[in-house]
Amino acid sequence: MTALILALVAGAVVGLALGGLGGGGSVLAVPALTYLIGMPPAEAITASLIIVTLTSLTALTGHARDGNVAWRTGLLFAAAGVVPAMLAGTAVGHLPQAGLTLAFAAVAGLAALRMLRPAPTPATGEVRPVTAGAAGAGLGAVTGLLGVGGGFLAVPALARVLSLPMRRAVGTSLLVITINSIAALGSRAGTGVHLDWAVIAPFTAAAILGAWDGKRYAQRLSGDTLQRVFAYALLAVAALMLADAFI
């Protein structure tokens, strides 16, 4: 019963992050599954990919209906990351779990700090294929290696590197998350990782419901405020994971 309650609460928080911020689902889901529910890191990473894939796909429909998805940019960005995500996913079982935790925290912290820096140029929404491809490939590798859908990195990349307005970056990141997560899951098929569906199912259901609420709350915030909330949430998660690793 305790695991079920924790799964429902954590799932709702993950859904709020994905629906409102366009990312942060896996960076919250993996620690929740590991520290609150007690899953081994490898199992938590795979479970988080399932949860985030289904939740992101649901949230994407709402943002697409509002016109906040840059389909061409998102598809190019995601396509460049599919192969790196699959390759990195096959290597994750050979890496030390402590190293994965530290890498996870470091990447989250760096992404947050980048988002808090003043923008060098105003958002124009212009698509630069080479830049989008390079950023997408790097993101795909991180997705496969760390089991994150990539939204917490996709949003900064789409908003700061590709100059999409924040709300459009949030919606587009959900497209990227969905594609990257499916690719990463494909690379893990047949690896023999145990999946506890008694936890995954209610966690996913709560996350899907939370995603709709997150989208509604995000509409009340300005793009700059949304960006700062996203960045501070990432910093908090990174700090907690680093503290757990060293204390």
Side-chain angles (χ1 to χ4, degrees), residues 104-145:
F104 199 107
V107 170
L110 289 173
L113 292 175
R114 180 174 177 82
M115 291 197 76
L116 289 173
R117 285 164 45 191
T121 56
T124 62
E126 295 178 358
V127 178
R128 290 165 284 181
V130 174
T131 304
L139 180 65
V142 172
T143 298
L145 185 64

Side-chain angles (χ1 to χ4, degrees), residues 16-22 59-69 166-168 170-171 174 210-227 229:
L16 286 170
L18 281 169
L21 303 176
L60 174 62
T61 60
H63 285 273
R65 189 167 53 245
D66 293 342
N68 286 330
V69 179
M166 186 60 185
R167 292 192 186 281
R168 201 161 174 80
V170 167
L174 291 168
W212 289 107
D213 287 335
K215 177 180 175 294
R216 186 171 67 250
Y217 294 144
Q219 291 175 335
R220 304 174 185 175
L221 302 175
S222 68
D224 288 342
T225 300
L226 201 59
Q227 184 164 305
V229 169

Side-chain angles (χ1 to χ4, degrees), residues 3 15-16 46 48 83 85-86 94 97 100 121 129-131 136 153 158 170 173 197 201 206 219 226 232 234 242:
L16 286 170
T46 302
S48 77
V83 173
M86 296 184 72
H94 305 289
Q97 298 301 322
L100 290 175
T121 56
V130 174
T131 304
L153 293 177
L158 291 166
V170 167
S173 76
W197 290 103
Q219 291 175 335
L226 201 59
Y232 287 129
L234 287 182
L242 286 173

